Amino acid sequence: MTTPVDNRSESDYSGKVRAISERLRSWSGPIVLATHIDPDGDAVGSTLALSRALQALGRATTVSLTPPRFLAFLTAPGELVPQLETLAPGTLLIALDAGAASRVAGVPLGDAALTINIDHHGTNERFGDIHLVDPSKAATAQIVKDIVEQLGLAWTPELATPCLLGILTDTGFLRFGNTRPAVLRAAAELLASGLDYAELTDRLQWRPQSYYPLLAQVMATVEFPLGGEVALARVTESMREDLSEEILDSEDFIGVIRYAEGIRVAVLLKEQGDTTKVSVRTRGGVSAQAICLMLGGGGHVPAAGATIAAAIDIARERVLTAVRKELDQTDRRGSPEPRR
Ligand code: AMP
Ligand code: MN
Ligand code: MN
């Protein structure tokens, strides 16, 4: 008998972790894990950690995921498949770090016998049969850590490294406001597995030599619109040599301009054919989430994103309109919103 999972209650976090762990332990069919498009460190880390944990329990798992080049070093040969066209009958699908069904990459969601949605985005649409969504967690990997421990597994470097990666990347290497005491405790416990921390943090920041001239070109586009309250930069297709290969961490450029003095909002526009990928970072009570929801995207209060079906110049205007609205609303509210 498995414990029924009550999706109505968001508050019973431990109960849900227990119930999901039981489901995972007792599932006899195939298990497929997937995450969001343009996977980041938390996407790759939480997915690999949970897959490796289930394998340690003797389960056969398949991970459908194409990692960006800067994270490929974490994966073992044959550990990932880029895409699954169909799922075998009786497949359990676990979606990690994906706020919406439409953002889950590389799997036909409708084929799954059961879908479990594990995430920390406040904007999560609560898709799937069972969802464990906790926006108070800094990373989906932090939720996966609780599941791995509920499964009774001991931390090995193979399990702990991807889990710590997810926590490190979603907290800006333990610098962002989501770095709460529980996050540091979780990181310390993962570090105690004996994983090679210097190697992990060093490798995470390796970039191909072609990245550095690209950085120079992107920084040459920086502008400070809306009276200097916004830093905005662009990555255009003509700057990128190989459009087929995703080499970068989405923090790479916005992580530089977000620290321009006097700004409250940083925006990176990335040209992708007729569409534009938007990344937004905010401070001082301004909500990147509110800005990106206006643009059809989502995310967290200090960091959010959207994909706009328009060319980069039109997208720039739409983004600035949304930013202006949110700045006005923030000023009318007066006091900063709690950060999530
Ligand atoms: P990024 O700027 O790509 O690093 O994204 C920042 C945050 O917003 C991450 O947590 C993403 O998962 C989320 N996010 C990015 N793009 C979208 C989107 N189109 N829809 C919903 N959430 C998004
Ligand atoms: Mn993510
Ligand atoms: Mn995440």
Side-chain angles (χ1 to χ4, degrees):
M1 256 304 284
T2 53
T3 312
V5 178
D6 181 3
N7 271 328
R8 290 163 304 177
S9 148
E10 289 269 302
S11 56
D12 184 17
Y13 176 80
S14 310
K16 279 197 155 187
V17 166
R18 268 197 306 278
I20 286 176
S21 301
E22 267 184 53
R23 279 289 178 102
L24 296 177
R25 197 180 261 295
S26 61
W27 193 266
S28 55
I31 302 180
V32 170
L33 297 95
T35 184
H36 62 77
I37 48 167
D38 297 331
D40 52 22
D42 189 29
V44 174
S46 58
T47 306
L48 281 182
L50 187 55
S51 171
R52 289 178 186 179
L54 293 170
Q55 288 187 359
L57 291 174
R59 296 283 171 289
T61 63
T62 305
V63 178
S64 177
L65 168 62
T66 307
R69 176 170 156 171
F70 82 101
L71 293 174
F73 76 95
L74 283 152
T75 62
E79 193 170 16
L80 308 177
V81 298
Q83 177 94 31
L84 290 172
E85 301 302 337
T86 56
L87 299 180
T91 295
L92 166 63
L93 178 69
I94 310 171
L96 293 128
D97 199 43
S102 59
R103 294 211 6 109
V104 179
V107 285
L109 269 179
D111 282 11
L114 186 80
T115 300
I116 301 183
N117 161 9
I118 301 173
D119 186 30
H120 68 128
H121 292 92
T123 52
N124 189 292
E125 290 172 357
R126 276 71 176 173
F127 65 92
D129 305 296
I130 298 172
H131 40 78
L132 176 54
V133 179
D134 185 352
S136 79
K137 295 288 189 284
T140 299
Q142 206 187 335
I143 304 174
V144 167
K145 176 175 181 287
D146 293 336
I147 295 173
V148 169
E149 288 171 356
Q150 184 63 43
L151 289 169
L153 291 160
W155 288 108
T156 59
E158 291 67 37
L159 280 181
T161 302
C163 204
L164 182 58
L165 158 80
I167 292 175
L168 289 178
T169 52
D170 267 22
T171 59
F173 289 81
L174 306 174
R175 289 174 304 162
F176 299 157
N178 56 0
T179 311
R180 286 176 282 270
V183 174
L184 291 175
R185 278 195 289 273
E189 287 165 16
L190 294 168
L191 203 50
S193 71
L195 63 82
D196 191 337
Y197 188 63
E199 162 82 0
L200 174 64
T201 56
D202 185 46
R203 284 295 308 255
L204 277 177
Q205 295 178 91
W206 287 16
R207 296 294 177 271
Q209 294 186 356
S210 60
Y211 161 71
Y212 299 91
L214 174 61
L215 176 65
Q217 288 186 71
V218 175
M219 290 305 130
T221 70
V222 176
E223 50 170 324
F224 299 99
L226 302 189
E229 295 235 72
V230 178
L232 184 144
R234 304 157 180 247
V235 189
T236 60
E237 291 196 331
S238 63
M239 292 176 189
R240 291 189 286 160
E241 267 175 21
D242 184 356
L243 298 171
S244 65
E245 188 178 28
E246 193 49 77
I247 57 171
L248 299 172
D249 181 352
S250 68
E251 281 298 315
D252 276 339
F253 304 127
I254 200 151
V256 178
I257 65 172
R258 67 187 295 166
Y259 296 110
E261 273 181 18
I263 65 152
R264 288 194 284 170
V265 181
V267 177
L268 182 76
L269 302 176
K270 191 163 144 195
E271 185 178 39
Q272 294 178 332
D274 293 337
T275 66
T276 304
K277 163 97 179 79
V278 184
S279 290
V280 179
R281 306 290 184 265
T282 53
R283 65 165 59 81
V286 182
S287 172
Q289 187 184 75
I291 293 166
C292 289
L293 282 172
M294 285 185 245
L295 300 166
H300 311 282
V301 172
T307 300
I308 298 180
I312 193 161
D313 288 316
I314 297 164
R316 178 185 172 280
E317 292 313 310
R318 287 195 202 156
V319 173
L320 288 178
T321 302
V323 170
R324 186 193 297 277
K325 269 192 203 156
E326 173 57 14
L327 285 173
D328 289 348
Q329 267 164 24
T330 307
D331 293 338
R332 271 201 302 276
R333 277 198 300 265
S335 63
E337 291 267 279
R339 301 204 134 208
R340 276 244 142 148

